[in-house]
Every structure is written in C-alpha cells, then in structure tokens.
Amino acid sequence: MSYHHKQLEPYWQNHWKNKNIFKTTEDKSKPKFYALDMFPYPSSSGLHVGHPMGYTATDIVSRYHRMKGYNVLHPMGWDAFGLPAEQHAIDTGEHPSKVTYRSINNFRSQLQSLGFSYDWDKEIATCDPKYYHWTQWIFSLLYKKGLAYQAEVFVNWCPALKTVLANEEVIDGKSERGNHPVFRVPMKQWMLKITSYADRLLEDLNKLDWPESTKEIQRNWIKKSVGAKVTFSIKNNDSDKIEVFTTRPDTLFGATYMVLAPEHPLVNKLTTTHQKEKVAEYCDVTSRKSDLDRTELNKEKSGIFTGSYAINPLNGQAIEIWISDYVLMGYGTGAIMAVPAHDTRDHEFAKKFGLKIIQVIQSPDKNFEIEKEAYTEDGVIINSDFLNNLNVEEAKTKIIEHLVKNKIGEQSITYKLRDWIFSRQRYWGEPIPILKDSKGNTIRTFNENELPLTLPEVTSYEPTGDGKSPLSAITNWVQRKNEKGDLEFVETDTMPGSAGSSWYFLRYIDPFNQKSIGDYEKLKFWMPVDLYVGGQEHAVGHLLYSRFWTKVLFDAGVCPVDEPFHKLVHQGMICKDGAKMSKSKGNGINPDDVIREYGADSLRVYEMFMGPLTQTKEWDDSNLAGVHRFLSRIQRYYLSDDGKSLLNNEPASQQDLKILHKTIKKLTEDIENLSFNTSIAQMMIFLNTIAESQCKNKEILGEFLKLLSPFAPHLAEDLWFKCILEEKMLPEDKNYKFVSLENWPQFDPSLTVDNEVKIGVQINGKHRGEILIPMNASQDEAVAAAMENANVKATLEGKTIKKTIFVANRILNFVAV
C-alpha cells in the first residue's frame, strides 16, 4: 500500500485542530515544560526549508514532554513590526499592516501544514495594539526608572531609507535591506540604559545552560575593563583637555602619540589650518564605515595628523594627536593614549606613520627587537622614572595613586557595551508613549489608561528625509491639548523591531490579560523558558536585550525571574550547493513543494536525520526520498494493500521485546539530549529487526507508534487509528484517544541488557558465518555453536583444525589445513 500523505496529513491536522488537543494545560500537580522558538518575521516570501529545522526540534521535544505527563507550553507568534513592510508601503502605498497580516496568514498556514503541535490560542503579533499596549507600558516603566533618556549620539543614518539602522542592519557600510550607503551622523535619539545592567548581564551568564560560544560573544560585547582615566593637556591650549581610558596605566611613560575617533568633539578645534582639508576628507570616508569595518575587519591601519600636540602628564613630552578610524567614539572616551611598544594595533600604526616607539616593559629575551613587533607580555618596568623595576601589577597600583594625588586621573571601570539606541524615524513601529512641550522637552509618559497609543492613518509612509518620522506630518495626531488647554506634542520616533521581541516570551503565558503583561502566578509557574531554539546571529541583539528587559521587570516585581531562557540551542543551517539558503541567492526551497511531493512527516524526519541539530547540513533530494521510502515501509508493515491491519496478538519473542525496550531507552535518552538523528537511526534498526523476525505483535508495534509519533505524527496517528485502537470510534468522537496524547512508553532495564551476543566465525582469516552465543560464553561453547553453522561445517569438511583463536564476545577463528 502506497503512503498517501496528501490525504492523511490534512485529515489528522484537521482533527487535531477541531479537538484543540495541543491546548496548554496548567495542572499545578504536574511539572511544566516551556519550549520556545525564536518567532519569525513574517516576510512576503514565506518559509524555506531551513526554517522548520528548529521548529521540528522543539515540536518533537514538546510532544515528548506532553506524553510524559508535563504541562507543555509550545506557542507561536510573529515579530511583525519591520522595515520590509514599511518599504513595501512606500513602494506601493499599501498599508504595512495589510502585507504583514497577509504574510502572517501564509506563514501560519505553512506551519500548520507541517503538523507542529503549537497552541494557536496563544498566538501573538507584536504589531497588534493589544500587544504593543504592554510594550509601551514597559517603555514607560523604563523611563520612570531613569533607564530611558534622550541624547545626541552617532547613529547609522541611511539617506535612501531615511531612517536610523541598528549595527546588525549595516553590512560593509551599506544597509542590509537595499544595499544603500549608510553614514555615521549625530542625531538626537531615545536611548535605553542597558549599561546600568552590564555587571549583572555579565555575571549571570554563568548560571545559564547556553552554548559557551554564545556566552563568550556576549562577554566580549559587554567587555568589562578595569583601569584608569588619564587627563592630557594640549600644547598651546589652556581651555581644552583630552581624557582617555586605559587598562594599562603602567605603560603611560611609553605613550608617544594620541589618537582620537573621527567623531570626537575636539577634532575640529584641534585640527590646524593646513590639515583641515585632509582631516575633513578622512572623516567623511570614515562616516561610511560600520564599527565592525573599523575594528575587527580593519586589517590596514589608516589615519591623519591633526597638527596639534598633547602633553604626556608624566614626563611633559609633547606627543602628536592623530585621528584614526580604529578608535571608536562609543568605547571609552573616544580617545586613546598610544603605546606602540606594547600594543599590536598601536605598533602597526606607529610603523606605518613613522612615530616614536619607547619600550617601558622589559622582555626576558635579550634579543627581542621592539622596532619589529610589540611586546605584549608581563615583565619588569623600565624607562619609567619612579615605576622602574616594579612588575606590571605593582606599577598599576602606584601609577593610579600618583594620578589621583596629582589630580590628573583616577581609577575607573568601563564597558565596551553601549546604551541601546531605541529610536527609529519610521512609521511601522510602536509609537513611543511620550508627551513633550513646544520646545521638545519631555513632560511625561502616557498613563496606563491612555495606552495603547496607536498609529494614525497616514497619506505617506516615507520618512521626511531630515531625520523625522512620517508621524511628524500628522498634526492632528501629534498635537493635543491637556486639561489646561495647553498644547502638548506626541513623540514622533517609533521603537525598533527589537522592542516587541524583548518580552514576547512572557506574553505567550497570558496573552489576553488586559491588566498587566501577565498574571504573576502564571509567569511564576511557566518561567523561565526551558528550551529556546534559534539562530546564533541574535547573540548580541535579541538575546542580550531580552535578558536586560527581563531583569528590569524582575526588579520592578512584575516578572518572577531575572533570566528568561534557561537552556539555549542554536540549530545549524541548511545549505544548498554549499551556500546558505536565502531569497537573495535564489536557492531557497519552498517547504510547500516538499510537502506536496513527499509529505510533512518526510520533511520533518529528513531534517532531523540529516545530522546533529547544531551542525550545518547540505540539502539532498535523494536522501529526502530515502526517508519517504522508510515511512512508506513502516506503513506497509502495518497495513495490507487494501488498508487492513496486518497486526496480530501472537506472543512476541524475547528478541522482539529486547529491540523494543532498547529502542524506548535510546529514544528517551536521545530526545532528552536533542540527538534526533540517532533516534531515527534506532527506529530504522527496530524496523529491520522485527521485519527479520516477522513480528506482527500488536502490543509491540503499538508502543513503536508512540515512539514514532513526535517525529512523524501524521503517519503514527493514522496507523494508531487503523491498527491499534480496540474501540473503533471515529477521531471526531468525544472520547477518541489520539496517539499524540498517549503516555510515553517505559523501558524495562533488564530487557535493554544483552545476554546474548552475535560474533563472526572465520576460517583462516576469512569470514564464513555468524553465531549467536551467550554473553561471555567459553571457547568450547563458541566452538560447539560454530559447528552447528552449515557454512562453517561445509568449509571445514575434510580439513584439520590446527589452532583455534577465540576472543570472548568478539570473534572465533579456526586455522585449518
């Protein structure tokens, strides 16, 4: 009988939906399991086959825990505010909500066709006013706690898109969407003070079950540095000073030049007349580079001399002040003291521009040449006056005491982490719930009973081009009178897409609560998320912001936990012809096409069988077809060509019981460890073993369907109905028992231990057969069994056995002539 996936998959999906069998339960007497996918942005292009990789993994785990008796929360929703929808609106005039909800409907349909056991009653969309009511409420909380403020900062400004972009939206100096030039310009923005939580964000990584690589990315992004702030005066300039932060104050005598970030506020003041044109040109080029281009990707040092000099506060030496793009305004003070003898970047810069190199730490290698490379190890201080002969740590302590005493510096801690730029100058985002006066000063946040502050209808979605949102042109929305009759003005910047995604995992728990972000007792029951699966590309964006918001809500007594995600797993990519699947590359495969030809179960099982979940895999149609044949073979083993059950109640052999209980044990352990590919391999071994023994025992094969159910739920459900259920009620009947809700099988440990072993028999080193003998059998027992093997007997006939070589439980070899 052929595997008619086109009929049976929609059939069972419809019954699951009508019976709402995956509805979240909250039985406090049972344990809970919260499985979460990073919710998708619903693009018009829909899913490709890379998307279901993580979704299938969480679905298997959710189905498994449901069968284990857990309360399971397995929701899905939509990260629905985004620039693509707004760009579509600008291009076509169609409201962003229309293309967004059209895309949501398509995504939902695609996900439902894959048989995922989501509780669709929990569905949310970040662009829904009922949802962003509470996003705005959280912003108000941040503002009242002093964690939201406005400041003029350098931002990634894209003139073509007429909006500010996040760092992750800029690639090689161009916008990720549209590939337009992006410039670093100063602009007044709303900021969130994530730096106030830097220490906790750093320290609490230690209590998370996350990939170490992801934790390290966050550590490096936050990067706590302990050192000193040092003040440098400027030659022939008594009004200005340059402050630097350094982790190596012990090397201050070796500072031979200074470097300012091109955006530093003193650049114009310090640039002499004959350098003005060159400096302006250099700063213009730098404004087109992202921070990544200027640091990690910056292999070739560049810079320009301002024409001015600073004074080294320790020795009074005049040192040149340069500008270079490898110094960032967003880190430290935007200025550095350069010690080329002991810093690789500074050394490269000094060599390129012929600047002085003074060694102040002695290398134990007498042949070390400081002109050839920087010395970056510990050692004894030299050429440093009162610091000479001290080790590095002693010198740090003494120099900081000196800086403080002489009022030219202080001990300091700084972070690489910068405050979160939270403004966007566009329409399709959450309005920021702030009222201002006519001068632009903040008066207050919107009160809770005034929320949500919803988006108005507009005639044009295009930003103004001068840094203002399209909302600024809607006078009757922006302006409103207070109780006294005074005009107040609504903030016209909107929030970034990352706002709604920073707390959505909380809203799933209680999505229709109109009084708070969620009932505290419900949040306490479900949080934290037990398993979160998604891409590593969100390591320092979404994952960091979510941790920050959770901690703020915890401190406010609104959320019962201070970390949102207990266990995090990054699924690997699926590649096609060696390249990552993407719309831009034109190599994406639509899951609808795969489902149409092979079925959802085949796609699910194939993606889990490709290899370990976290590894990158190559798509192969022939292997997909092989998985389809495996599922077809299962069906044929259960059903005759006319659709009748082939199972019976004949007693099962010990061998059949053993392979069942080994399979139960293997899958139980594998699913707990997310080792889905080896689970599928074990199910193949099970099928081969029982087919060899021709076992059709209903009890054994019924237990196997329970094991199959999380992986291939449609086929398992269909065979359960046709071959296992004693009461032949229909799925639509009230008390129908779905295999998806059956109890997970338990294994008998005694049946998972082998007491027999199959070993090979060789004659003169050539394989001649196999024998089944008791575990740890003696040589005599093995020889006796071998003599019962027809092929071995025939080969030995007429020969004399000169020697017998026996390795217990491994092999038997006869040397015969």
Side-chain angles (χ1 to χ4, degrees), residues 775-795:
M775 183 71 72
N776 300 318
S778 66
Q779 178 174 312
D780 290 344
E781 289 175 306
V783 169
M787 294 308 169
E788 297 297 319
N789 182 285
N791 192 47
V792 172
K793 283 175 67 176
T795 308

mmCIF file with all atom_site columns, all heavy atoms in Angstrom, residues 775-795:
data_model
loop_
_atom_site.group_PDB
_atom_site.id
_atom_site.type_symbol
_atom_site.label_atom_id
_atom_site.label_alt_id
_atom_site.label_comp_id
_atom_site.label_asym_id
_atom_site.label_entity_id
_atom_site.label_seq_id
_atom_site.pdbx_PDB_ins_code
_atom_site.Cartn_x
_atom_site.Cartn_y
_atom_site.Cartn_z
_atom_site.occupancy
_atom_site.B_iso_or_equiv
_atom_site.pdbx_formal_charge
_atom_site.auth_seq_id
_atom_site.auth_comp_id
_atom_site.auth_asym_id
_atom_site.auth_atom_id
_atom_site.pdbx_PDB_model_num
ATOM 1   N N   . MET A 1 775 ? 26.317 -14.276 26.299 1.00 0.00 ? 775 MET A N   1
ATOM 2   C CA  . MET A 1 775 ? 27.338 -13.298 26.637 1.00 0.00 ? 775 MET A CA  1
ATOM 3   C C   . MET A 1 775 ? 28.395 -13.961 27.528 1.00 0.00 ? 775 MET A C   1
ATOM 4   O O   . MET A 1 775 ? 28.063 -14.717 28.442 1.00 0.00 ? 775 MET A O   1
ATOM 5   C CB  . MET A 1 775 ? 26.678 -12.123 27.365 1.00 0.00 ? 775 MET A CB  1
ATOM 6   C CG  . MET A 1 775 ? 27.629 -10.988 27.717 1.00 0.00 ? 775 MET A CG  1
ATOM 7   S SD  . MET A 1 775 ? 28.171 -10.041 26.280 1.00 0.00 ? 775 MET A SD  1
ATOM 8   C CE  . MET A 1 775 ? 26.680 -9.145  25.868 1.00 0.00 ? 775 MET A CE  1
ATOM 9   N N   . ASN A 1 776 ? 29.691 -13.686 27.226 1.00 0.00 ? 776 ASN A N   1
ATOM 10  C CA  . ASN A 1 776 ? 30.831 -14.223 27.972 1.00 0.00 ? 776 ASN A CA  1
ATOM 11  C C   . ASN A 1 776 ? 30.910 -15.748 27.906 1.00 0.00 ? 776 ASN A C   1
ATOM 12  O O   . ASN A 1 776 ? 31.400 -16.413 28.833 1.00 0.00 ? 776 ASN A O   1
ATOM 13  C CB  . ASN A 1 776 ? 30.794 -13.776 29.441 1.00 0.00 ? 776 ASN A CB  1
ATOM 14  C CG  . ASN A 1 776 ? 30.842 -12.264 29.583 1.00 0.00 ? 776 ASN A CG  1
ATOM 15  O OD1 . ASN A 1 776 ? 31.601 -11.605 28.878 1.00 0.00 ? 776 ASN A OD1 1
ATOM 16  N ND2 . ASN A 1 776 ? 30.021 -11.723 30.465 1.00 0.00 ? 776 ASN A ND2 1
ATOM 17  N N   . ALA A 1 777 ? 30.397 -16.314 26.805 1.00 0.00 ? 777 ALA A N   1
ATOM 18  C CA  . ALA A 1 777 ? 30.473 -17.773 26.626 1.00 0.00 ? 777 ALA A CA  1
ATOM 19  C C   . ALA A 1 777 ? 31.933 -18.211 26.540 1.00 0.00 ? 777 ALA A C   1
ATOM 20  O O   . ALA A 1 777 ? 32.811 -17.458 26.129 1.00 0.00 ? 777 ALA A O   1
ATOM 21  C CB  . ALA A 1 777 ? 29.726 -18.180 25.359 1.00 0.00 ? 777 ALA A CB  1
ATOM 22  N N   . SER A 1 778 ? 32.175 -19.487 26.896 1.00 0.00 ? 778 SER A N   1
ATOM 23  C CA  . SER A 1 778 ? 33.538 -20.027 26.839 1.00 0.00 ? 778 SER A CA  1
ATOM 24  C C   . SER A 1 778 ? 33.886 -20.383 25.399 1.00 0.00 ? 778 SER A C   1
ATOM 25  O O   . SER A 1 778 ? 33.023 -20.428 24.520 1.00 0.00 ? 778 SER A O   1
ATOM 26  C CB  . SER A 1 778 ? 33.633 -21.285 27.700 1.00 0.00 ? 778 SER A CB  1
ATOM 27  O OG  . SER A 1 778 ? 32.823 -22.312 27.149 1.00 0.00 ? 778 SER A OG  1
ATOM 28  N N   . GLN A 1 779 ? 35.168 -20.695 25.172 1.00 0.00 ? 779 GLN A N   1
ATOM 29  C CA  . GLN A 1 779 ? 35.600 -21.096 23.839 1.00 0.00 ? 779 GLN A CA  1
ATOM 30  C C   . GLN A 1 779 ? 34.907 -22.385 23.411 1.00 0.00 ? 779 GLN A C   1
ATOM 31  O O   . GLN A 1 779 ? 34.486 -22.513 22.258 1.00 0.00 ? 779 GLN A O   1
ATOM 32  C CB  . GLN A 1 779 ? 37.123 -21.281 23.820 1.00 0.00 ? 779 GLN A CB  1
ATOM 33  C CG  . GLN A 1 779 ? 37.652 -21.744 22.461 1.00 0.00 ? 779 GLN A CG  1
ATOM 34  C CD  . GLN A 1 779 ? 39.162 -21.775 22.406 1.00 0.00 ? 779 GLN A CD  1
ATOM 35  O OE1 . GLN A 1 779 ? 39.817 -20.827 22.805 1.00 0.00 ? 779 GLN A OE1 1
ATOM 36  N NE2 . GLN A 1 779 ? 39.723 -22.886 21.934 1.00 0.00 ? 779 GLN A NE2 1
ATOM 37  N N   . ASP A 1 780 ? 34.748 -23.313 24.329 1.00 0.00 ? 780 ASP A N   1
ATOM 38  C CA  . ASP A 1 780 ? 34.095 -24.567 23.978 1.00 0.00 ? 780 ASP A CA  1
ATOM 39  C C   . ASP A 1 780 ? 32.655 -24.338 23.535 1.00 0.00 ? 780 ASP A C   1
ATOM 40  O O   . ASP A 1 780 ? 32.181 -24.957 22.574 1.00 0.00 ? 780 ASP A O   1
ATOM 41  C CB  . ASP A 1 780 ? 34.121 -25.525 25.173 1.00 0.00 ? 780 ASP A CB  1
ATOM 42  C CG  . ASP A 1 780 ? 35.527 -26.038 25.465 1.00 0.00 ? 780 ASP A CG  1
ATOM 43  O OD1 . ASP A 1 780 ? 36.392 -25.901 24.568 1.00 0.00 ? 780 ASP A OD1 1
ATOM 44  O OD2 . ASP A 1 780 ? 35.755 -26.548 26.575 1.00 0.00 ? 780 ASP A OD2 1
ATOM 45  N N   . GLU A 1 781 ? 31.957 -23.434 24.226 1.00 0.00 ? 781 GLU A N   1
ATOM 46  C CA  . GLU A 1 781 ? 30.566 -23.143 23.862 1.00 0.00 ? 781 GLU A CA  1
ATOM 47  C C   . GLU A 1 781 ? 30.510 -22.483 22.483 1.00 0.00 ? 781 GLU A C   1
ATOM 48  O O   . GLU A 1 781 ? 29.615 -22.783 21.672 1.00 0.00 ? 781 GLU A O   1
ATOM 49  C CB  . GLU A 1 781 ? 29.937 -22.207 24.909 1.00 0.00 ? 781 GLU A CB  1
ATOM 50  C CG  . GLU A 1 781 ? 29.670 -22.872 26.254 1.00 0.00 ? 781 GLU A CG  1
ATOM 51  C CD  . GLU A 1 781 ? 29.175 -21.886 27.290 1.00 0.00 ? 781 GLU A CD  1
ATOM 52  O OE1 . GLU A 1 781 ? 29.853 -20.856 27.506 1.00 0.00 ? 781 GLU A OE1 1
ATOM 53  O OE2 . GLU A 1 781 ? 28.099 -22.142 27.889 1.00 0.00 ? 781 GLU A OE2 1
ATOM 54  N N   . ALA A 1 782 ? 31.479 -21.607 22.201 1.00 0.00 ? 782 ALA A N   1
ATOM 55  C CA  . ALA A 1 782 ? 31.506 -20.929 20.907 1.00 0.00 ? 782 ALA A CA  1
ATOM 56  C C   . ALA A 1 782 ? 31.804 -21.913 19.781 1.00 0.00 ? 782 ALA A C   1
ATOM 57  O O   . ALA A 1 782 ? 31.169 -21.877 18.718 1.00 0.00 ? 782 ALA A O   1
ATOM 58  C CB  . ALA A 1 782 ? 32.546 -19.818 20.924 1.00 0.00 ? 782 ALA A CB  1
ATOM 59  N N   . VAL A 1 783 ? 32.749 -22.833 20.029 1.00 0.00 ? 783 VAL A N   1
ATOM 60  C CA  . VAL A 1 783 ? 33.108 -23.832 19.002 1.00 0.00 ? 783 VAL A CA  1
ATOM 61  C C   . VAL A 1 783 ? 31.914 -24.743 18.726 1.00 0.00 ? 783 VAL A C   1
ATOM 62  O O   . VAL A 1 783 ? 31.590 -25.056 17.574 1.00 0.00 ? 783 VAL A O   1
ATOM 63  C CB  . VAL A 1 783 ? 34.337 -24.639 19.448 1.00 0.00 ? 783 VAL A CB  1
ATOM 64  C CG1 . VAL A 1 783 ? 34.550 -25.839 18.513 1.00 0.00 ? 783 VAL A CG1 1
ATOM 65  C CG2 . VAL A 1 783 ? 35.585 -23.752 19.479 1.00 0.00 ? 783 VAL A CG2 1
ATOM 66  N N   . ALA A 1 784 ? 31.224 -25.135 19.792 1.00 0.00 ? 784 ALA A N   1
ATOM 67  C CA  . ALA A 1 784 ? 30.061 -26.006 19.626 1.00 0.00 ? 784 ALA A CA  1
ATOM 68  C C   . ALA A 1 784 ? 28.994 -25.325 18.785 1.00 0.00 ? 784 ALA A C   1
ATOM 69  O O   . ALA A 1 784 ? 28.374 -25.944 17.898 1.00 0.00 ? 784 ALA A O   1
ATOM 70  C CB  . ALA A 1 784 ? 29.503 -26.392 20.995 1.00 0.00 ? 784 ALA A CB  1
ATOM 71  N N   . ALA A 1 785 ? 28.763 -24.031 19.017 1.00 0.00 ? 785 ALA A N   1
ATOM 72  C CA  . ALA A 1 785 ? 27.761 -23.287 18.243 1.00 0.00 ? 785 ALA A CA  1
ATOM 73  C C   . ALA A 1 785 ? 28.207 -23.153 16.794 1.00 0.00 ? 785 ALA A C   1
ATOM 74  O O   . ALA A 1 785 ? 27.387 -23.247 15.865 1.00 0.00 ? 785 ALA A O   1
ATOM 75  C CB  . ALA A 1 785 ? 27.541 -21.910 18.875 1.00 0.00 ? 785 ALA A CB  1
ATOM 76  N N   . ALA A 1 786 ? 29.517 -22.941 16.581 1.00 0.00 ? 786 ALA A N   1
ATOM 77  C CA  . ALA A 1 786 ? 30.040 -22.770 15.223 1.00 0.00 ? 786 ALA A CA  1
ATOM 78  C C   . ALA A 1 786 ? 29.856 -24.039 14.403 1.00 0.00 ? 786 ALA A C   1
ATOM 79  O O   . ALA A 1 786 ? 29.582 -23.991 13.200 1.00 0.00 ? 786 ALA A O   1
ATOM 80  C CB  . ALA A 1 786 ? 31.513 -22.371 15.279 1.00 0.00 ? 786 ALA A CB  1
ATOM 81  N N   . MET A 1 787 ? 29.976 -25.191 15.059 1.00 0.00 ? 787 MET A N   1
ATOM 82  C CA  . MET A 1 787 ? 29.850 -26.453 14.342 1.00 0.00 ? 787 MET A CA  1
ATOM 83  C C   . MET A 1 787 ? 28.413 -26.733 13.901 1.00 0.00 ? 787 MET A C   1
ATOM 84  O O   . MET A 1 787 ? 28.171 -27.657 13.123 1.00 0.00 ? 787 MET A O   1
ATOM 85  C CB  . MET A 1 787 ? 30.378 -27.597 15.205 1.00 0.00 ? 787 MET A CB  1
ATOM 86  C CG  . MET A 1 787 ? 31.878 -27.510 15.459 1.00 0.00 ? 787 MET A CG  1
ATOM 87  S SD  . MET A 1 787 ? 32.813 -27.331 13.912 1.00 0.00 ? 787 MET A SD  1
ATOM 88  C CE  . MET A 1 787 ? 34.442 -26.930 14.545 1.00 0.00 ? 787 MET A CE  1
ATOM 89  N N   . GLU A 1 788 ? 27.470 -25.940 14.451 1.00 0.00 ? 788 GLU A N   1
ATOM 90  C CA  . GLU A 1 788 ? 26.078 -26.076 14.032 1.00 0.00 ? 788 GLU A CA  1
ATOM 91  C C   . GLU A 1 788 ? 25.762 -25.185 12.824 1.00 0.00 ? 788 GLU A C   1
ATOM 92  O O   . GLU A 1 788 ? 24.700 -25.274 12.237 1.00 0.00 ? 788 GLU A O   1
ATOM 93  C CB  . GLU A 1 788 ? 25.144 -25.695 15.185 1.00 0.00 ? 788 GLU A CB  1
ATOM 94  C CG  . GLU A 1 788 ? 25.250 -26.598 16.401 1.00 0.00 ? 788 GLU A CG  1
ATOM 95  C CD  . GLU A 1 788 ? 24.849 -28.027 16.065 1.00 0.00 ? 788 GLU A CD  1
ATOM 96  O OE1 . GLU A 1 788 ? 23.851 -28.199 15.316 1.00 0.00 ? 788 GLU A OE1 1
ATOM 97  O OE2 . GLU A 1 788 ? 25.518 -28.966 16.541 1.00 0.00 ? 788 GLU A OE2 1
ATOM 98  N N   . ASN A 1 789 ? 26.720 -24.313 12.479 1.00 0.00 ? 789 ASN A N   1
ATOM 99  C CA  . ASN A 1 789 ? 26.519 -23.408 11.348 1.00 0.00 ? 789 ASN A CA  1
ATOM 100 C C   . ASN A 1 789 ? 26.840 -24.148 10.058 1.00 0.00 ? 789 ASN A C   1
ATOM 101 O O   . ASN A 1 789 ? 27.941 -24.668 9.877  1.00 0.00 ? 789 ASN A O   1
ATOM 102 C CB  . ASN A 1 789 ? 27.424 -22.177 11.504 1.00 0.00 ? 789 ASN A CB  1
ATOM 103 C CG  . ASN A 1 789 ? 27.226 -21.165 10.382 1.00 0.00 ? 789 ASN A CG  1
ATOM 104 O OD1 . ASN A 1 789 ? 27.676 -21.385 9.263  1.00 0.00 ? 789 ASN A OD1 1
ATOM 105 N ND2 . ASN A 1 789 ? 26.580 -20.048 10.698 1.00 0.00 ? 789 ASN A ND2 1
ATOM 106 N N   . ALA A 1 790 ? 25.895 -24.211 9.133  1.00 0.00 ? 790 ALA A N   1
ATOM 107 C CA  . ALA A 1 790 ? 26.034 -25.022 7.916  1.00 0.00 ? 790 ALA A CA  1
ATOM 108 C C   . ALA A 1 790 ? 27.221 -24.586 7.082  1.00 0.00 ? 790 ALA A C   1
ATOM 109 O O   . ALA A 1 790 ? 27.981 -25.434 6.573  1.00 0.00 ? 790 ALA A O   1
ATOM 110 C CB  . ALA A 1 790 ? 24.745 -24.928 7.093  1.00 0.00 ? 790 ALA A CB  1
ATOM 111 N N   . ASN A 1 791 ? 27.442 -23.310 6.926  1.00 0.00 ? 791 ASN A N   1
ATOM 112 C CA  . ASN A 1 791 ? 28.532 -22.822 6.074  1.00 0.00 ? 791 ASN A CA  1
ATOM 113 C C   . ASN A 1 791 ? 29.892 -23.120 6.693  1.00 0.00 ? 791 ASN A C   1
ATOM 114 O O   . ASN A 1 791 ? 30.838 -23.502 5.998  1.00 0.00 ? 791 ASN A O   1
ATOM 115 C CB  . ASN A 1 791 ? 28.384 -21.310 5.833  1.00 0.00 ? 791 ASN A CB  1
ATOM 116 C CG  . ASN A 1 791 ? 29.306 -20.817 4.729  1.00 0.00 ? 791 ASN A CG  1
ATOM 117 O OD1 . ASN A 1 791 ? 29.380 -21.424 3.667  1.00 0.00 ? 791 ASN A OD1 1
ATOM 118 N ND2 . ASN A 1 791 ? 30.022 -19.728 4.988  1.00 0.00 ? 791 ASN A ND2 1
ATOM 119 N N   . VAL A 1 792 ? 29.971 -22.980 8.014  1.00 0.00 ? 792 VAL A N   1
ATOM 120 C CA  . VAL A 1 792 ? 31.229 -23.272 8.702  1.00 0.00 ? 792 VAL A CA  1
ATOM 121 C C   . VAL A 1 792 ? 31.548 -24.765 8.586  1.00 0.00 ? 792 VAL A C   1
ATOM 122 O O   . VAL A 1 792 ? 32.686 -25.160 8.289  1.00 0.00 ? 792 VAL A O   1
ATOM 123 C CB  . VAL A 1 792 ? 31.148 -22.854 10.187 1.00 0.00 ? 792 VAL A CB  1
ATOM 124 C CG1 . VAL A 1 792 ? 32.382 -23.339 10.961 1.00 0.00 ? 792 VAL A CG1 1
ATOM 125 C CG2 . VAL A 1 792 ? 31.010 -21.332 10.302 1.00 0.00 ? 792 VAL A CG2 1
ATOM 126 N N   . LYS A 1 793 ? 30.520 -25.599 8.807  1.00 0.00 ? 793 LYS A N   1
ATOM 127 C CA  . LYS A 1 793 ? 30.717 -27.050 8.708  1.00 0.00 ? 793 LYS A CA  1
ATOM 128 C C   . LYS A 1 793 ? 31.180 -27.441 7.315  1.00 0.00 ? 793 LYS A C   1
ATOM 129 O O   . LYS A 1 793 ? 32.111 -28.240 7.148  1.00 0.00 ? 793 LYS A O   1
ATOM 130 C CB  . LYS A 1 793 ? 29.412 -27.786 9.042  1.00 0.00 ? 793 LYS A CB  1
ATOM 131 C CG  . LYS A 1 793 ? 29.111 -27.839 10.536 1.00 0.00 ? 793 LYS A CG  1
ATOM 132 C CD  . LYS A 1 793 ? 27.753 -28.464 10.801 1.00 0.00 ? 793 LYS A CD  1
ATOM 133 C CE  . LYS A 1 793 ? 27.731 -29.926 10.424 1.00 0.00 ? 793 LYS A CE  1
ATOM 134 N NZ  . LYS A 1 793 ? 26.429 -30.552 10.775 1.00 0.00 ? 793 LYS A NZ  1
ATOM 135 N N   . ALA A 1 794 ? 30.570 -26.871 6.304  1.00 0.00 ? 794 ALA A N   1
ATOM 136 C CA  . ALA A 1 794 ? 30.919 -27.219 4.921  1.00 0.00 ? 794 ALA A CA  1
ATOM 137 C C   . ALA A 1 794 ? 32.346 -26.806 4.590  1.00 0.00 ? 794 ALA A C   1
ATOM 138 O O   . ALA A 1 794 ? 33.081 -27.530 3.893  1.00 0.00 ? 794 ALA A O   1
ATOM 139 C CB  . ALA A 1 794 ? 29.931 -26.552 3.956  1.00 0.00 ? 794 ALA A CB  1
ATOM 140 N N   . THR A 1 795 ? 32.752 -25.653 5.077  1.00 0.00 ? 795 THR A N   1
ATOM 141 C CA  . THR A 1 795 ? 34.099 -25.152 4.782  1.00 0.00 ? 795 THR A CA  1
ATOM 142 C C   . THR A 1 795 ? 35.177 -25.975 5.490  1.00 0.00 ? 795 THR A C   1
ATOM 143 O O   . THR A 1 795 ? 36.276 -26.187 4.963  1.00 0.00 ? 795 THR A O   1
ATOM 144 C CB  . THR A 1 795 ? 34.225 -23.661 5.182  1.00 0.00 ? 795 THR A CB  1
ATOM 145 O OG1 . THR A 1 795 ? 33.166 -22.912 4.605  1.00 0.00 ? 795 THR A OG1 1
ATOM 146 C CG2 . THR A 1 795 ? 35.561 -23.066 4.735  1.00 0.00 ? 795 THR A CG2 1
#
